[in-house]
Amino acid sequence: MKSLIILLIGCVAHINAGVYTDRFLSQYKKIHDSGNGYFSKEGIPYHSIETLMVEAPDYGHETTSEAYSYYVWLEAMYGAINGDFSSFNRAWDILEKYTIPTHEDQSSNDNYNPSSPATFAEEKDTPQDYPSKIDSGVSVGEDPIYQELVSAYGNSDIYGMHWLTDVDNIYGFGDTPGGGCENGPSANGPSYINTFQRGPEESVWRTIPQPTCDSFKYGGTNGFLDLFIDDSEYSHQWKYTNAPDADARAIQAAYWASKWADQKGQLGSITNTLSKAAKMGDYLRYSLFDKYFKKIGNCVGASQCAAGKGKESAHYLLSWYYAWGGSMGAQYGWAWRIGDGAAHFGYQNPLAAYALANESNLKPKGSTAVEDWKKSLDTQLEFYSYLQTPEGAFAGGATNSWKGRYATPDSNLTSNTFHGMFYDWEPVYHDPPSNNWYGMQAWSVDRLAQYYYVTGDSKAKTLLDKWIPWVVNNLKFSGNKFQIPSNLAWSGTPGNNLHVSISSYNDDVGTASSTARALAYYAAKANDNSAKTAAKQLLDVMWENYQTPKGVSTEEQREDYRRFNEPVYVPSGWTGKYPNGDPIDSSATFLSLRSWYKKDPEFQKVQSYMNGGGAVPTFTYHRFWAQADVAIAQGAYGLLFNE
């Protein structure tokens, strides 16, 4: 009898541990197994374990602010399940050290003039249209938050993540965070870099990677600057670009950490990290403004569109980026900041906005920050409603600056605007179109569902009541496989036959995990059994049939890898070199600018494919964000339903 009691106690303990939270811990262990290669020696999460990887990053052992934000979220959930939040603090410390520029990395901010934030330059349609000429004759608005941020934090630095880092210094710029500019191929540690600079048709395959800190040591006579900007003279300078969805995700993760730590009686152990997340949210407000701080609404004509006063330039949406830069050297004294007039629904994060506006542990110090985030929350919800199709999916977004130069929009876009901002089905990027990927739906609606779960907001529920059935009805299960939407097609405009159709399906584990989590949070609040069942089925099929030694994944074909040979536009007569000697000139291709790819152990099958004699190359990738998403989705389901 005694042995039976012991056995029953053991069973109860296992049930309380939870099948799904156990799965989280199993996946978490794989991610943290040093033999699996998810992290660099500094503790930085790579974009992927695999090095031969081209998507938004052009190399697997680069990393993004996206990966850091998922890392913070992963560790927050570990604390919720295990009761130890020290790894959450450590993840934020690594994020801060390696992706937020130090004072030394942005040292000329004191020279910034908020009355003249930046000098105007047109965005062009194709890379062939660059460099773009600086035009000081176009008026720009005023930066209304700079002084309150200086007052709140005592300095002019920006506390935001730069989006892209060359972790292994494969390019050799050696622009080590906090360690100086262009230290070269032998420099230890990660190196800040940038890629996209030349309009909506500049896919990753057409980029010219450059250092964020340009002292003209590499590139051409003027470093890399005159490839992008046409100016009368060039000076050494630094510049960084923020991806607002990643900063918002890190803040979202901090919100959950605060709730879970409070439940565990551990809130005091993370208060310092929460204050840093609040600070990030203060600076994230730069993404809520037009690129040149021009007045929002019917902003047509770079010279005609009015410069904004106060908050007139705020659209209150999470835009595609914000950026900042400045001069190096005592002989120069200037700095600049820009927002972005283009907003994609997929970047919105109502839970982060809610947290910054309402959570005492995440309250920013800026005097108008809470007010701004309250307005942003309302505006984001309105934006979802404006973009929702009858089917339930959300269309692309809107812009205050048509074609990135305040051009005249197509006539069919002027009758139904979003507060005067023009609808754009593919905001910012057209190769591939930025809203074709279903993952934008899963990512953004997961945040919307979490916001609904926390608040019960009827506006959010109304939106989800249409999106959830659309997804549930388009999930496919066959034996030990699943299919979810992969690419979407769009027609019409808001208020005029706006519709979506699904053009392809796949079994991507990352977007499937985001989808399952969105379904689960909705189901838990709305008591919707069909959504709960669909979430559970996705999680179960994925877990039971997509295991690999290093995570959860599936094989994918990469027909786009034929583009390794794609020409990269360099103006005729322009010549330069990378640190390893790779030439930059008018005969450049994606591969010629990255000759080191030829040494990659997986490259031969890509080469055979490009030569026409090989099959489409296939890979089983372990992207950090996707593997973290798998873990977080399993854990969230377990926490929500105690199963």
Side-chain angles (χ1 to χ4, degrees), residues 81 127 137 142 154 183 232 294 338 340 360 368 494 555 579 586 627:
I81 292 171
E142 63 186 24
N183 294 308
S232 58
K294 283 183 173 288
I338 57 175
D340 185 18
S360 60
T368 64
E555 190 175 74
S586 58
Q627 297 305 305

Side-chain angles (χ1 to χ4, degrees), residues 9 13 44 62 77 109 153 227 298 364 384 409 415 428 481 512 542 557 639:
I9 290 173
I44 297 169
E62 292 168 357
M77 181 157 284
N109 274 323
Y153 299 104
L227 288 167
N298 304 305
Y384 282 109
S415 60
V428 185
K481 297 291 183 182
M542 188 191 323
Q557 291 187 325
L639 294 175

Side-chain angles (χ1 to χ4, degrees), residues 237-400:
Q237 58 189 267
W238 52 266
K239 54 191 183 301
Y240 304 103
T241 303
N242 179 278
D245 67 321
D247 284 41
R249 187 185 295 110
I251 294 161
Q252 170 192 348
Y255 168 81
W256 283 119
S258 73
K259 293 302 181 186
W260 292 329
D262 193 27
Q263 293 169 7
K264 301 282 187 180
Q266 298 291 320
L267 185 59
S269 69
I270 65 168
T271 52
N272 186 51
T273 300
L274 296 179
S275 69
K276 293 178 180 180
K279 182 178 180 180
M280 180 178 283
D282 233 342
Y283 290 88
L284 182 57
R285 287 187 291 157
Y286 274 111
S287 71
L288 307 181
F289 292 87
D290 175 75
K291 181 174 182 178
Y292 293 106
F293 296 90
K294 283 183 173 288
K295 191 173 181 179
I296 299 298
N298 304 305
C299 194
V300 178
S303 297
Q304 291 73 37
C305 183
K309 303 285 187 182
K311 299 290 178 72
E312 289 179 339
S313 58
H315 47 65
Y316 294 101
L317 298 167
L318 289 171
S319 58
W320 197 267
Y321 63 82
Y322 73 81
W324 72 109
S327 59
M328 296 190 301
Q331 70 272 35
Y332 301 105
W334 50 267
W336 56 265
R337 298 181 185 186
I338 57 175
D340 185 18
H344 195 299
F345 101 89
Y347 270 33
Q348 305 314 302
N349 193 324
L351 183 59
Y354 170 82
L356 292 165
N358 294 280
E359 181 69 15
S360 60
N361 294 309
L362 288 167
K363 184 178 180 181
K365 292 181 180 179
S367 58
T368 64
V370 168
E371 174 188 336
D372 284 344
W373 285 114
K374 285 181 178 178
K375 189 161 185 177
S376 177
L377 173 59
D378 291 339
T379 307
Q380 288 182 47
L381 293 173
E382 186 183 354
F383 197 47
Y384 282 109
S385 181
Y386 171 73
L387 294 169
Q388 191 165 35
T389 62
E391 294 82 8
F394 297 97
T399 181
N400 194 54

